[in-house]
Amino acid sequence: MPTASGCGEPVRVWQVLAAAALCAPQAALADLTVEEAWGVWTAQFEALGLDWEADAVPEGDALAVGPIFLSMQVPGLPLEMNLQLPGPRFVSDAGEIVVHLPTAETMPFSISATEDAASAFTSAGAFAWRMTDVSVRMRETDAGIETGWSGDSFEIEMTEYGLLGKPFPAGYRYLQSGFDITQTSRIGDGWLDFTRRGVAGQVVIDYGFGDETTAQGLGGTLSRDEVETLTELRLPRGGPALDRLPELAEAGMMLRHEAAAKTGFDEDYEWSAGEQIASSETRWSNITGIFTLTGDGLHVVSGSDTAAMQITDEVLGISVDVEAARILLDLAMPVLRAVEPQQYALRVELDGLTLSEETWTAFFMTEELPRQTADLKVDLGGTAILLETLFDLAALGQSFNGPLPVSIETLDLRALEARFWDAELTGKGAVRFDHVAPRTVDGVPATEGDATFELTGAQALLDRLTEAGVLTTDDAMSARMMMGMFTTPVEGDGDAVRAEVEIMPDGQVTVNGQRMR
């Protein structure tokens, strides 16, 4: 069989598969062939924007694929990436296909500047591809072509790395243990629809860049136990292209990834001239994460039931040990350039935030103040005009020397809740920015809106801090005077004050009816 290629052949494998699917009898599913199984692989390469080349040689009921050469133009940058993978062997087995994956200790890769680049950047190296007791089977189903992956371990490790033609100390290792993955691919109508569900006993990523021979470097480990993932993709057959992102998004291009893990551990460290200057360790439990990218925008949700972090920075001379009972980040934002305003939102929640005894004492500089927890909730949103598509790296690069590629039109503080000891701060408000009207404050567009804040328990907190020696009597008196200037008492509550802020279109600012500007 002649060499197959993903670089402009007249009839692509996906077209044959699509035609076969339309013509196949609907009463029963046909057995999957080795050619169709290999076609699923190449369809996925192309949908990810990769060009590929490989020899595919029939061997009776089997199809042996030689080394796979992949290349890709890095989106928005004058760089080309090249990677070689070991070729699989597809074997028919009772209507299904068994895929034999070889191991390899040297899979070369390179990243180099294209001919039109301003500088001749190059980097190159090699990866090892290792696995233990891995089984891969493919079969035809009503939902599409299903591939099952399972095994004791799968590992990718960078064994060589060079920068600008010279060896450079760097490391990367990905290890997945005790995994069972099912992915389904449906090819047709110019699209690849892909769903992947997987579980793994553990996933570990080790990375590093630079060592004692370099001016500076960094490294770390990310580990997750009892991992569950769900990935859904809908990609155009020719691969996503920056100049067609709005059109492809309108047509339904989509990426969604969900992940959950029982426990997690992150370690990061940084050094300079061979000396470690900073480090951090974080332990998580019940981690959840959702990443969704569609024409409607980007949506990221990340959270954890508990988190404990230790940070040390020798340069700044700080050491912090902090814990939280719950963490949540929920971000939604537009990604495509548009003339009309688009919605954005951000929600951050921290429950049971506390410092260790040592850090607490160092921060407040006293042992007389009992350690307490704090809670924080911020929920805001609004509308913005995106002047450049976020994934158009060339356009974004030009904006670095000019105005930001986003225009905030409205900002709504839906909720602000902060609690520390007996003190609690709440607030909400909304403002609108007029970018056409003359600016009333240098660097800030004309602004109109209002906000209301309430603070309870502040007097009792000041008393506690004064008794513990954190504040002097004069410090507490100054704080009370400032509160008196910007707040009014809340009727019926002896230790509650309120501030009502109003911003006028002409630049005036009033607090509780008193003009401040």
Side-chain angles (χ1 to χ4, degrees), residues 171 206-210 217-222 267-271 278-280:
D206 294 316
Y207 63 92
F209 187 84
L218 54 85
T221 297
L222 283 74
E267 180 182 39
D268 295 284
Y269 52 89
E270 184 179 356
W271 63 80
S279 65
S280 70

Side-chain angles (χ1 to χ4, degrees), residues 31-369:
D31 291 345
L32 187 66
T33 68
V34 291
E35 290 79 11
E36 290 170 334
W38 169 231
V40 172
W41 284 51
T42 60
Q44 294 173 6
F45 293 153
E46 293 164 10
L48 293 172
L50 296 168
D51 291 328
W52 62 272
E53 290 186 4
D55 289 329
V57 180
E59 296 179 350
D61 291 336
L63 183 68
V65 178
I68 304 170
F69 300 92
L70 302 174
S71 63
M72 181 182 73
Q73 176 79 34
V74 179
L77 296 175
L79 295 174
E80 183 178 72
M81 180 186 71
N82 293 277
L83 173 66
Q84 179 181 325
L85 299 179
R89 188 168 187 268
F90 300 86
V91 180
S92 295
D93 181 21
E96 297 184 354
I97 302 298
V98 177
V99 184
H100 298 283
L101 299 175
T103 59
E105 287 297 316
T106 305
M107 296 189 298
F109 73 91
S110 67
I111 301 176
S112 57
T114 56
E115 294 181 358
D116 57 348
S119 60
F121 173 83
T122 60
S123 68
F127 282 96
W129 174 295
R130 307 179 184 119
M131 59 195 75
T132 304
D133 293 334
V134 173
S135 170
V136 182
R137 299 185 70 91
M138 302 176 67
R139 65 191 183 99
E140 188 83 54
T141 70
D142 290 330
I145 297 178
E146 180 183 281
T147 304
W149 305 68
S150 60
D152 289 344
S153 69
F154 172 74
E155 179 183 10
I156 299 176
E157 181 180 10
M158 187 166 67
T159 55
E160 301 175 23
Y161 183 72
L163 187 63
L164 300 176
K166 298 180 180 180
F168 190 88
Y172 177 84
R173 175 174 171 265
Y174 175 91
L175 176 63
Q176 182 173 268
S177 305
F179 60 93
D180 189 351
I181 301 168
T182 300
Q183 65 186 47
T184 304
S185 304
R186 179 180 290 276
I187 306 166
D189 297 330
W191 292 86
L192 168 69
D193 291 289
F194 174 93
T195 301
R196 180 182 184 273
R197 299 178 184 272
V199 296
Q202 186 180 52
V203 174
V204 178
I205 299 175
D206 294 316
Y207 63 92
F209 187 84
D211 61 12
E212 65 275 1
T213 66
T214 60
Q216 57 186 12
L218 54 85
T221 297
L222 283 74
S223 177
R224 300 289 184 268
D225 298 320
E226 298 184 44
V227 181
E228 297 183 15
T229 60
L230 169 63
T231 303
E232 296 176 299
L233 299 174
R234 189 167 198 265
L235 297 174
R237 288 293 302 109
L242 289 178
D243 58 355
R244 295 183 59 218
L245 271 182
E247 171 192 341
L248 295 173
E250 286 269 342
M253 187 176 73
M254 178 271 294
L255 185 153
R256 178 177 174 84
H257 179 72
E258 295 185 17
K262 191 67 175 177
T263 61
F265 172 72
D266 296 343
E267 180 182 39
D268 295 284
Y269 52 89
E270 184 179 356
W271 63 80
S272 176
E275 297 291 332
Q276 182 169 301
I277 60 173
S279 65
S280 70
E281 293 184 4
T282 308
R283 297 187 180 276
W284 314 83
S285 66
N286 294 329
I287 307 168
T288 58
I290 302 174
F291 179 95
T292 305
L293 180 62
T294 67
D296 294 330
L298 173 68
H299 188 200
V300 179
V301 180
S302 179
S304 172
D305 277 358
T306 61
M309 177 182 292
Q310 297 177 329
I311 303 174
T312 301
D313 193 309
E314 300 293 341
V315 176
L316 298 178
I318 62 172
S319 179
V320 177
D321 189 345
V322 61
E323 299 177 5
R326 188 179 74 94
I327 297 176
L328 175 67
L329 169 69
D330 190 339
L331 170 68
M333 59 183 290
V335 295
L336 300 179
R337 176 180 179 177
V339 176
E340 297 298 324
Q342 302 180 72
Q343 299 283 337
Y344 68 88
L346 172 65
R347 182 160 58 102
V348 177
E349 296 183 11
L350 296 173
D351 294 342
L353 187 66
T354 186
L355 303 176
S356 67
E357 291 283 1
E358 182 179 351
T359 303
W360 176 273
T361 301
F363 182 80
F364 288 102
M365 295 181 290
T366 180
E367 296 182 356
E368 301 300 322
L369 190 68

